[in-house]
Amino acid sequence: MKLLDVEAVLNRETDIQKTDPEREVLKELNDEDTRYAILSHRWGAEVGYEEMTGLMKMEGRKRDEVRQRAGYQKIIESCKQAKKGGYEWLWIDTCCIDKRSSAELSEAINSMYRWYQNAQVCYAYLNDVEESTFPTEQDNKFDKSNGWPEWFVRGWTLQELIAPKEVEFFNKDWVHIGDKWRLAPELERITGISRHVLMDGLSGIGLSVAQIMSWAADRKTTRVEDRAYSLMGLFGVNMPMLYGEGKKAFQRLQLEIIHISNDHSIFAWKPQMPRTGSVLAEDPGDFQDCDYIAREGSDEFIIGLGFECIRLEGPDPGSSHTGVDSRARHQHRLAAMRDAVNSQQFHTFTVNSAGIQVLLPVVPSRDSPSHFRAVLACRDSGDLVTIDLVSSGHSFARTAIDSLLPATCPEFKTLHLIHCQDTNETRREFTLEDKLASYHGFTRRSTYPRELTDSTAALSSLADDLVVIVYANDNAKSHFAVGLGYYLGQMWVHVVGYGRSPIQGDDWTDFGKTAYQLLWKDRAKHAQTRPTSPINLGRKHSLG
């Protein structure tokens, strides 16, 4: 790693006119053998590698402009703190990485967690804190960052808080306002990170993947790829940087975690809106409510499944020796579960072209042979976590099941879970022909919950889905809604209307939302009575 020579930087600044222009301020050193300090901060008007190393060769006016930047003053103040602490070397991400070299940038990002971990101290600079005390309550002046200093909502600062042994906090004027050890209770409240992790690090605690992901759920990065890259060190994985890949970076991160871990909680994310497709999360935000998900040991998981079987099925009412038969059947199932849970296949995730191969206990849906609920070896506030799956060829996609499940004991099944899928494979497009509605004076006013592309509605063919289109005739003071839906793989269409009851104003979203809720509630009935001929959109159907 390239480290700033603290003495060289400060001496250069003391007498800029007499400093040797050939004096180097950066030196390549080994982070394992060097005592150094490190800076954690929010980026602003910064000074880069080229400017820091070429400062003395600049024309005077340009050099003065660089030295007046807030980023340069931040470097000088950090060096002063390092010197005060007895450190000869300092690392700052803005000026210690030659970003012209993609190889050096990739190495730095992949090594960053280790660099913060090996630093003797980390200086956390909170540039938006003016008070001389650490903020312990949310404040409206930080309204853009959930009421806390912006440092606490940035993606990269998560690992910069956890990895170092010592973290010293400074306000805008470089006044010391606390350290990680003394502020651990407040930091736990602000970040949701256990104080044990803050004080002792991640090793030996046995946290679940979902818990760690939850810490990053509300954090932001300037580039979407950095939401994934900033988490690599927390999970102990490495991968090449591919800026421009967008959200695929987070998918790659999860696959790298799966290669080294058999933690089921990586599948336990909770989407804000139901969707069907990859078993992997799209974004750390999908783990927002996963801070209490804990891994389940093999023995505890077997016991939990056993209790679930007893709860679902109870004793066999058809047996004359109900208690004995039920106990024997239960013991037999426990033995089968124990064999499955203790097998190598259960503890190994294999990624191939068919998907992520896993062995999971599943319960089939009562209404559809292609829908299942799988039980994961993790708990959320005491309950075993489950996810809903739907078959797509020989693989299974993540979905949401509203239908009832039969009261049967889960059975272990080898599944190939889809981790990447062409959206064209899981959606069907329908062209809306509404010329007849236009002939009768009705015009399209709104759609809910998403817009149409021209006159094309795209619906998921694997999960329950619904789009509502609202039509109105102002002269007749009449309006109706058309629902296009999928239910358990079956396409359906239904029209509802309020007759002559008028709507005030031009915003038809509320009516579309109301129609959506009514149609969604009765989608199973609509799917059974789907029309065999085109719907006449000039004819109104009553909601009641």
Side-chain angles (χ1 to χ4, degrees), residues 19 68 79 106 128-129 134 137 139 158 188 194 220 225 276 298 311 332 352 368 394 403-404 428 469 519:
T19 298
Q68 289 171 8
C79 285
S106 181
D128 51 357
V129 175
F134 186 87
E137 299 294 335
D139 195 314
L158 175 60
E188 180 179 36
S194 164
K220 304 171 185 176
E225 296 89 351
T276 295
S298 296
R311 184 186 70 80
H332 176 75
N352 52 44
S368 170
H394 297 293
S403 56
L404 294 175
R428 298 291 182 270
I469 306 98
L519 290 166

Coordinates of all heavy atoms in Angstrom, one line a residue, residues 19 68 79 106 128-129 134 137 139 158 188 194 220 225 276 298 311 332 352 368 394 403-404 428 469 519:
T19 N 10.9 23.9 0.0 CA 10.9 22.4 -0.1 C 11.5 21.9 -1.3 O 11.2 22.4 -2.4 CB 9.4 22.0 0.1 OG1 8.9 22.4 1.3 CG2 9.3 20.4 0.0
Q68 N -5.8 25.3 -1.1 CA -6.9 25.9 -0.4 C -8.1 25.0 -0.4 O -9.1 25.4 0.3 CB -7.2 27.2 -1.2 CG -6.2 28.3 -1.0 CD -6.4 29.5 -1.9 OE1 -7.4 29.6 -2.6 NE2 -5.5 30.5 -1.9
C79 N -2.6 14.6 9.0 CA -1.2 14.4 9.3 C -0.8 14.9 10.7 O 0.0 14.3 11.4 CB -0.3 15.0 8.2 SG -0.3 14.1 6.6
S106 N -8.3 -1.8 -8.2 CA -8.9 -3.0 -7.8 C -8.2 -3.6 -6.6 O -8.9 -4.1 -5.7 CB -8.9 -4.0 -9.0 OG -9.5 -5.2 -8.7
D128 N -19.8 17.5 9.1 CA -21.0 18.2 9.3 C -21.4 18.4 10.8 O -22.5 18.8 11.1 CB -22.2 17.6 8.6 CG -22.3 16.1 8.8 OD1 -21.5 15.5 9.6 OD2 -23.2 15.4 8.3
V129 N -20.5 18.0 11.7 CA -20.7 18.2 13.2 C -20.0 19.4 13.6 O -18.7 19.4 13.6 CB -20.3 16.9 14.0 CG1 -20.4 17.2 15.5 CG2 -21.1 15.7 13.6
F134 N -20.1 14.6 20.8 CA -20.7 13.6 19.8 C -22.2 13.7 19.9 O -22.8 13.7 21.0 CB -20.2 12.2 20.2 CG -20.6 11.2 19.2 CD1 -19.8 10.9 18.1 CD2 -21.7 10.4 19.3 CE1 -20.1 10.0 17.2 CE2 -22.1 9.5 18.4 CZ -21.3 9.2 17.3
E137 N -28.4 12.3 19.9 CA -29.9 12.3 19.5 C -30.0 12.7 18.1 O -29.2 13.5 17.6 CB -30.7 13.2 20.4 CG -30.6 12.8 21.9 CD -31.3 11.5 22.2 OE1 -32.2 11.1 21.4 OE2 -31.0 10.9 23.2
D139 N -31.2 14.8 14.9 CA -31.3 16.2 14.8 C -31.8 16.5 13.3 O -31.3 16.0 12.4 CB -30.0 16.9 15.0 CG -30.1 18.4 15.3 OD1 -30.8 19.0 14.5 OD2 -29.5 18.9 16.2
L158 N -19.1 1.9 6.6 CA -19.5 0.7 7.4 C -18.3 -0.1 7.8 O -18.1 -0.4 9.0 CB -20.6 -0.1 6.7 CG -21.0 -1.4 7.4 CD1 -21.6 -1.1 8.7 CD2 -22.0 -2.2 6.5
E188 N -24.2 1.7 18.6 CA -25.1 0.6 18.4 C -26.5 1.1 18.1 O -27.2 0.6 17.2 CB -25.1 -0.3 19.6 CG -26.0 -1.5 19.5 CD -26.0 -2.3 20.8 OE1 -25.9 -1.8 21.9 OE2 -26.1 -3.6 20.6
S194 N -24.2 -4.5 16.8 CA -24.0 -4.9 18.2 C -22.7 -4.3 18.7 O -21.7 -4.2 18.0 CB -23.9 -6.4 18.3 OG -23.4 -6.8 19.5
K220 N -25.8 4.5 1.6 CA -25.8 5.0 0.2 C -24.3 5.1 -0.3 O -23.4 5.3 0.4 CB -26.4 6.4 0.1 CG -27.8 6.4 0.6 CD -28.3 7.9 0.7 CE -29.7 7.9 1.4 NZ -30.1 9.4 1.5
E225 N -22.5 0.2 -8.0 CA -21.6 -1.0 -7.8 C -20.9 -1.0 -6.4 O -20.7 -2.1 -5.9 CB -20.5 -1.0 -8.9 CG -21.0 -1.2 -10.3 CD -21.4 0.1 -11.0 OE1 -21.3 1.2 -10.3 OE2 -21.6 0.1 -12.2
T276 N -41.1 -12.0 -8.5 CA -40.7 -13.3 -8.9 C -39.4 -13.3 -9.7 O -39.3 -12.5 -10.6 CB -41.8 -14.0 -9.7 OG1 -43.0 -14.1 -8.8 CG2 -41.4 -15.4 -10.1
S298 N -27.5 -27.4 13.3 CA -28.1 -28.6 12.8 C -29.1 -29.2 13.8 O -30.2 -29.6 13.4 CB -27.0 -29.6 12.4 OG -26.2 -29.1 11.3
R311 N -47.0 -29.7 15.2 CA -48.0 -28.6 15.2 C -48.9 -28.7 14.0 O -50.1 -28.4 14.1 CB -47.2 -27.2 15.1 CG -48.1 -26.0 15.2 CD -47.3 -24.8 15.0 NE -46.9 -24.6 13.6 CZ -47.6 -24.2 12.6 NH1 -48.9 -23.9 12.8 NH2 -47.1 -24.1 11.4
H332 N -39.6 -41.7 13.3 CA -39.1 -42.1 11.9 C -38.8 -40.8 11.1 O -37.8 -40.7 10.4 CB -40.2 -42.9 11.2 CG -39.8 -43.3 9.8 ND1 -38.8 -44.2 9.5 CD2 -40.3 -42.8 8.6 CE1 -38.7 -44.3 8.2 NE2 -39.6 -43.4 7.7
N352 N -24.2 -23.8 -10.5 CA -23.9 -24.3 -11.9 C -24.9 -23.6 -12.8 O -25.7 -22.7 -12.4 CB -24.0 -25.8 -12.0 CG -25.3 -26.4 -11.4 OD1 -26.4 -25.8 -11.7 ND2 -25.2 -27.4 -10.6
S368 N -51.6 -25.3 -6.1 CA -50.8 -25.4 -7.3 C -49.6 -26.4 -7.0 O -48.8 -26.2 -6.1 CB -50.2 -24.1 -7.7 OG -49.3 -24.2 -8.7
H394 N -36.9 -26.8 -14.9 CA -36.3 -27.7 -13.9 C -35.7 -27.0 -12.7 O -35.1 -27.6 -11.9 CB -35.1 -28.5 -14.6 CG -35.6 -29.4 -15.7 ND1 -36.4 -30.5 -15.5 CD2 -35.4 -29.4 -17.0 CE1 -36.7 -31.1 -16.6 NE2 -36.1 -30.4 -17.6
S403 N -51.8 -18.4 -1.3 CA -52.7 -19.5 -1.1 C -52.3 -20.4 0.1 O -51.2 -20.3 0.6 CB -52.7 -20.5 -2.3 OG -51.4 -20.9 -2.6
L404 N -53.3 -21.1 0.6 CA -53.1 -21.9 1.8 C -52.2 -23.1 1.6 O -52.2 -23.7 0.5 CB -54.5 -22.4 2.4 CG -55.4 -21.4 2.9 CD1 -56.7 -22.0 3.2 CD2 -54.8 -20.6 4.1
R428 N -45.1 -12.3 -19.6 CA -45.9 -12.4 -20.8 C -46.4 -11.0 -21.1 O -46.8 -10.3 -20.2 CB -47.1 -13.4 -20.6 CG -46.7 -14.8 -20.3 CD -46.0 -15.5 -21.5 NE -45.7 -16.9 -21.3 CZ -44.5 -17.2 -20.8 NH1 -43.6 -16.3 -20.5 NH2 -44.3 -18.5 -20.5
I469 N -56.1 -0.8 -15.6 CA -56.2 0.3 -16.5 C -57.5 1.0 -16.3 O -58.5 0.3 -16.3 CB -56.0 -0.1 -17.9 CG1 -54.7 -0.9 -18.1 CG2 -56.0 1.1 -18.9 CD1 -54.9 -2.4 -18.1
L519 N -59.9 -6.3 -7.1 CA -59.6 -7.3 -8.0 C -58.5 -8.3 -7.5 O -58.6 -9.5 -7.7 CB -59.0 -6.7 -9.3 CG -60.1 -6.0 -10.2 CD1 -59.4 -5.1 -11.2 CD2 -61.1 -7.0 -10.8

